[in-house]
Amino acid sequence: MAIHTPSADTQNDIDVPEFMRTEKAGDRPNLSLVKPIEGPVVEHQGETLQPPWIQSNRALRHAVDNRLYIGWTFRGYRELARRWKEARHDDHPQMIETARLALRSAKGNLDRETEMRELVTERRAAYKRHKRIMMAKTSGWTAAAGAGVAVGAITGGPVVDLLMGLGAMTLGVWHGRPEPTAADEAPDQSEIEGAAEAAVPPPAAVERAFDAPPPPALTVEELDTALREIGIVKQREQIVFHAAPERGKDGNTTAVFDLPARVTVNMLQKQLESFAGALGRDSSMVDIVKAGTERRVSLWMTDADPFAAARPSPLLTRRGSVDAWTNGVPVAWNKRGAIIELVINNSSFVIAGMTRSGKGVGASNLVVGAAFDPRINLRIVAGKNNGEWDAYAKTGVASTYFKPSPERLLALLEGLLADKDRREAELGRLGKSKLVASAIEQIGGLELLVIDELATYTRPGKPLRDEILEALIGLSAVAAGAGILLVLITQYPEVDVIPQALAMNCGTKWAMRVDNADQSNAILGKGSSGAGRDASKFDPPRPGLGWLVNPFAGVTDKARSFDLDEDERGEITMLLERAAKIREQAGRLAGQWDDAIERHLFNTTGLSSAAGGPKRDGVPGREVMRLSAEQVQQVEALRGALAAMNDLGRDVAQLDEMAEIIGGGMAADRLGELLRAAGAGGTVKVTIPGRGRVNGYQRAEIADAMNFFSGA
C-alpha cells in the first residue's frame, strides 16, 4: 500500500519550524537522527559529572522529615499483623455463615436440613484445621527467627547486632511505607530550575475531544498485513471488503470481506490460531464464519477474552417449563457472548474431558435443562458411588437412577431396545416415519439415557463390556428416530472407551480439556485437530471451556458452560425442585405414571430403581410405590407396633398393650391378623417384667417385616 509524500511544490504550505528554514532547497544541510538525552541537562567544563542523588540533599531531607522512619517501622509491623490475621481467618467464617443460613432456610426439608447440618460441621472442622496449620507455620517461623537472633547476638558481637536491628527496621519500613502521591512522584524543583530555560519545548500534543469515538480495533491495513503474514493472501492477491472493519458500541470489531479465489473460509479457520496471533489476539478473541459463499468471511474480534469470567446459568432466573425439543436448553455461551441452546430431539451427546475440566458442570447444564421439559424421561446411570446425581432422585425427577451396576445397565439397555420396537410400531400407526413434536406424548415421551463415567462400563476388562457396547452402538444408530437419545460422559476419551462406531452416532460432541490430540480426535472425530479443533491446546484452560460441535445448531466452535454449583450453593437442587413442581403438575414425576422401562427392570431383576430406589440414593430395592389397600394397612400396623414398643421402652410387647397404644379402634385380634399378613409371623413366648412369660412379639420380627416393605 503506497504512502503519500508531499512534493516540493507543496513544501511552502507546510508549517516548518523556524530553525529548519533555509535560503534555498539546494542549500539544505545534511540531517541525521540524534537520540535525545533524557533527564536534566547539566553544564560542566571538564570537571567530573556527579550523579543527581549526590548533588541533592533530597534523600537526607526525606529521612529527617519522616523522623528516621520510626513511625513507618511500627506501621509496617502493624500491617504484617493485620495480614496474618486475615490469612488466619481466610474465607472460612463467611463460608460457615453461608452454610448456617442455608441450614436455617432448609427447616422442614429433612433431607436438605441433614445435608446442610453436615456441611456446617464440615466447614467448622475445616476452619479449625486451617487455624492449626496456620499456628504451626507461625510457630515454626517464629522459632527459627528467634534462634537465628539468639545465635547472632551471642556469637556475632555489636556489629552483627546492629545489622540485625537494621534488618528488622528495614522490614518494618518496607511494609509501612505510605502509598506514593502525585506530589511525592513530582521532581524536585531545585533539580530542574537550571534545565528549564535550556530545554526546547516539545510540540503541543493534540488531544482528542472528550466525546470522540474510540479508535478502531482493526484497520484495513492491519487485516491485510495479518492475512499476508500467515500466507492466506499472496503477494499480488487482494482481498475485497464488503464491510470494512468497524468497532461497534459494544467495543467489538466486525468486518466482511472476500478472500482470493484460491482460498476458502475453511482454510482460514484451520489457521485461526496463527491468524489471531498476527492480529495480536488470542484465538478466543477472534471468530470466523462463512457469510454465504466459500470465500466470504464474516470476521468478529474483541479486545478481551470472552471466556475469562464465569457466567451463571439462565435457568436460575427462568420461570416455567422448557421446550427442549424445539427451542433447546441453555448450556453455554460462545465467543460472541451469545447463549447456546442445545435441542434434545434427533442427536445423542458425548461430553468428555480430563478430571477437573468442567465436563460434569457442562453435563449438568444439559440434564438439568432437560428436567424442565416434563416430556423427557430421565434415566441416569452413575459411574461412581458419590452423591453427584442424588438430587435428581430425591426430587423425583429421575425416572430411573442407579449407581455402578453393569448387570442393571445391560438390563436397562435391553429394555430400551425393546421399547424402540414398540415406539416404531406406534409411529407407524400414527403414519410417521420418525418422531415429531406432536407425537412425543402419544408414544410415551422422550427417553434420555445419561451414563456418567462411561469408562466404568466400557474400558477393556470390565464386566459385560462387549454386551454393553453392542447395545449402546445399536441404540445410538437406530433409536434416535424413535425418541431414545444418549448422553455419554467420560474422562477417558479413548477409542477403547468410546469406539468410533459409537462416537460417530453421537451428533453433538463437547470436548473439554484433554491430554493430547488423539484424545481430542476420539471425541470430535478423526482429523479434527488438523482442522484447528484441538481440545488439548486450551491456553489458559478454563473449567467448562471446550470445543462444541453441534451441526443441528450450527455450532462448531469454542464454548464455555454456564456455572452451576451444587456443593457450595445448592443450585442444582434448587432448580430440580422447581422442575419437580412442573413435572408434578403434568403427572410426570416418578411414580405418577406407568413406566414401561422401570416395569421391565423390576420384572428382570426384582428390584426397582425408580427415583433412585426406595431410599432415593441410587440403590435399587423392592418396589414400594404400588401397594394395595390391604398392604397399606399392614404397613401402618407394623409402624404402629414399633411405635408402641418405643413408648413402652422395651423390645417385646403383647398384642393388647400395643393395640391400646395404637388406638383408633384397633383391636388386638385385628392387629395380630395384620402383623401375620405383613410377614411378622405369629406370637411367640416373651418375657415381660411384671407379666412373666407370655405370648407376644419381638421388635426384630416386626422390623424385618417393615424392611421388606420399605425395600431394604
Side-chain angles (χ1 to χ4, degrees):
M1 187 165 294
I3 300 176
H4 178 70
T5 305
S7 64
D9 296 336
T10 61
Q11 288 286 339
N12 294 331
D13 298 331
I14 301 176
D15 187 13
V16 181
E18 189 66 31
F19 69 91
M20 293 179 61
R21 294 187 184 274
T22 59
E23 295 298 326
K24 295 185 299 181
D27 295 334
R28 294 174 183 169
N30 294 328
L31 300 178
S32 61
L33 296 177
V34 180
K35 183 177 180 180
I37 300 175
E38 298 180 356
V41 179
V42 181
E43 183 179 356
H44 62 94
Q45 299 291 335
E47 70 276 10
T48 303
L49 185 64
Q50 294 179 335
W53 66 272
I54 294 179
Q55 299 176 24
S56 172
N57 61 355
R58 184 180 180 186
L60 179 59
R61 192 167 63 245
H62 188 273
V64 173
D65 290 345
N66 288 280
R67 296 177 176 82
L68 300 180
Y69 307 117
I70 300 299
W72 290 22
T73 305
F74 287 108
R75 186 164 62 240
Y77 280 102
R78 187 169 63 248
E79 176 67 15
L80 287 173
R82 184 189 64 80
R83 294 179 189 173
W84 181 88
K85 185 177 180 181
E86 289 181 354
R88 183 174 183 270
H89 286 301
D90 199 25
D91 293 330
H92 290 283
Q94 182 178 357
M95 294 168 61
I96 293 172
E97 182 61 24
T98 301
R100 290 179 64 251
L101 291 175
L103 173 62
R104 227 174 337 209
S105 63
K107 293 293 184 182
N109 186 338
L110 295 181
D111 291 338
R112 182 68 173 165
E113 188 175 355
T114 301
E115 182 181 352
M116 290 299 101
R117 187 173 289 107
E118 292 175 353
L119 180 60
V120 172
T121 304
E122 176 185 340
R123 289 183 175 176
R124 284 174 175 165
Y127 188 23
K128 291 180 180 178
R129 185 167 58 253
H130 172 77
K131 288 192 290 187
R132 286 197 299 269
I133 294 173
M134 189 72 182
M135 289 302 298
K137 290 181 178 179
T138 304
S139 300
W141 282 109
T142 302
V149 170
V151 171
I154 295 173
T155 63
V159 175
V160 174
D161 292 343
L162 177 61
L163 291 176
M164 287 192 298
L166 289 175
M169 181 176 179
T170 302
L171 178 65
V173 169
W174 177 257
H175 289 282
R177 67 191 189 281
E179 293 294 330
T181 63
D184 295 331
E185 297 178 352
D188 191 81
Q189 187 64 25
S190 62
E191 297 179 2
I192 62 173
E193 285 178 353
E197 297 179 359
V200 178
V206 179
E207 295 186 1
R208 195 175 61 193
F210 178 76
D211 58 350
L218 182 67
T219 65
V220 171
E221 292 81 2
E222 290 171 341
L223 178 56
D224 182 80
T225 301
L227 291 170
R228 294 181 187 279
E229 285 181 353
I230 65 173
I232 286 291
V233 178
K234 301 298 183 182
Q235 185 175 3
R236 295 185 178 181
E237 295 175 335
Q238 300 293 329
I239 57 176
V240 179
F241 281 89
H242 298 277
E246 181 179 354
R247 174 178 289 220
K249 294 181 179 179
D250 54 3
N252 301 323
T253 301
T254 57
V256 179
F257 56 91
D258 283 345
L259 294 166
R262 64 176 182 82
V263 185
T264 64
V265 177
N266 185 49
M267 294 170 64
L268 179 58
Q269 288 173 333
K270 291 181 179 180
Q271 298 193 47
L272 177 61
E273 290 186 358
S274 300
F275 181 47
L279 293 173
R281 302 295 193 280
D282 184 79
S283 59
S284 296
M285 304 178 189
V286 179
D287 187 34
I288 298 171
V289 296
K290 185 170 65 175
T293 70
E294 295 295 338
R295 294 171 48 201
R296 186 159 298 170
V297 177
S298 173
L299 170 68
W300 175 91
M301 190 180 76
T302 185
D303 296 333
D305 187 350
F307 301 123
R311 292 173 57 177
S313 169
L315 290 172
L316 295 172
T317 57
R318 185 189 291 263
R319 294 294 180 268
S321 61
V322 169
D323 185 349
W325 175 276
T326 304
N327 301 325
V329 298
V331 298
W333 76 94
N334 62 13
K335 291 178 180 177
R336 305 192 184 199
I339 295 175
I340 297 176
E341 295 185 321
L342 295 182
V343 294
I344 301 177
N345 50 31
N346 55 5
S347 169
S348 290
F349 304 81
V350 171
I351 304 176
M354 299 171 62
T355 302
R356 316 310 301 169
S357 64
K359 66 182 182 303
V361 178
S364 294
N365 276 275
L366 178 65
V367 182
V368 169
F372 278 79
D373 191 332
R375 300 171 300 175
I376 297 178
N377 308 325
L378 286 176
R379 317 281 180 190
I380 300 176
V381 180
K384 294 181 290 190
N385 285 300
N386 61 13
E388 182 176 359
W389 298 91
D390 284 5
Y392 295 82
K394 292 178 180 179
T395 55
V397 167
S399 301
T400 297
Y401 171 53
F402 57 88
K403 292 178 179 178
S405 172
E407 297 80 11
R408 192 166 191 84
L409 173 57
L410 183 58
L412 174 59
L413 294 173
E414 291 171 346
L416 289 171
L417 284 169
D419 195 52
K420 174 191 73 72
D421 297 335
R422 178 196 66 81
R423 287 166 170 265
E424 289 176 342
E426 188 67 20
L427 288 173
R429 188 184 66 80
L430 295 172
K432 308 293 183 183
S433 61
K434 62 180 181 180
L435 182 61
V436 294
S438 59
I440 293 176
E441 297 183 22
Q442 298 182 56
I443 69 167
L446 285 167
E447 291 287 342
L448 189 65
L449 172 60
V450 181
I451 304 180
D452 188 21
E453 302 296 347
L454 181 67
T456 302
Y457 305 99
T458 63
R459 293 190 85 175
K462 293 294 184 180
L464 302 176
R465 173 184 183 265
D466 294 340
E467 294 86 346
I468 289 174
L469 274 176
E470 182 181 357
L472 284 172
I473 292 172
L475 276 175
S476 66
V478 299
I484 301 176
L485 305 175
L486 308 175
V487 178
L488 307 178
I489 309 165
T490 180
Q491 65 174 333
Y492 297 100
E494 303 163 355
V495 293
D496 289 339
V497 172
I498 180 167
Q500 186 65 23
L502 177 58
M504 66 182 293
N505 291 323
C506 298
T508 302
K509 303 167 184 179
W510 202 350
M512 310 293 186
R513 178 171 55 93
V514 296
D515 189 52
N516 52 59
D518 290 338
Q519 292 182 343
S520 182
N521 288 338
I523 310 168
L524 301 174
K526 187 176 181 180
S528 294
S529 60
R533 298 187 295 275
D534 191 342
S536 67
K537 292 185 176 180
F538 294 127
D539 184 20
R542 303 186 188 279
L545 177 61
W547 278 100
L548 179 59
V549 177
N550 184 296
F552 307 101
V555 177
T556 305
D557 208 340
K558 291 179 181 178
R560 186 176 182 187
S561 65
F562 292 114
D563 184 23
L564 268 182
D565 177 76
E566 174 65 10
D567 294 332
E568 297 291 338
R569 301 191 296 269
E571 291 173 341
I572 291 179
T573 293
M574 180 190 69
L575 289 174
L576 290 176
E577 289 173 348
R578 199 182 302 165
K581 294 179 181 179
I582 295 172
R583 287 178 170 259
E584 185 178 18
Q585 294 173 358
R588 299 296 290 182
L589 271 180
Q592 285 186 309
W593 54 288
D594 185 18
D595 188 346
I597 301 300
E598 267 301 320
R599 188 169 65 248
H600 166 81
L601 284 175
F602 182 73
N603 293 336
T604 303
T605 66
L607 300 174
S608 171
S609 53
K615 296 182 180 179
R616 298 199 171 191
D617 58 355
V619 179
R622 287 196 70 254
E623 190 174 33
V624 296
M625 293 186 177
R626 299 185 184 91
L627 299 178
S628 65
E630 183 66 20
Q631 287 174 322
V632 171
Q633 293 181 9
Q634 294 167 14
V635 170
E636 291 300 323
L638 291 169
R639 188 176 290 114
L642 291 173
M645 288 184 178
N646 291 336
D647 287 348
L648 293 169
R650 58 177 186 260
D651 293 334
V652 294
Q654 289 185 283
L655 284 172
D656 57 350
E657 57 184 347
M658 289 191 294
E660 182 179 356
I661 293 175
I662 292 173
M666 175 66 73
D669 293 341
R670 176 58 178 163
L671 178 60
E673 293 176 3
L674 291 173
L675 294 179
R676 286 191 296 273
T683 58
V684 296
K685 289 294 183 180
V686 297
T687 301
I688 298 177
R691 294 194 179 191
R693 191 82 170 160
V694 295
N695 291 328
Y697 277 91
Q698 297 179 346
R699 180 188 295 272
E701 282 75 13
I702 297 176
D704 287 344
M706 190 67 185
N707 288 338
F708 176 81
F709 275 97
S710 64

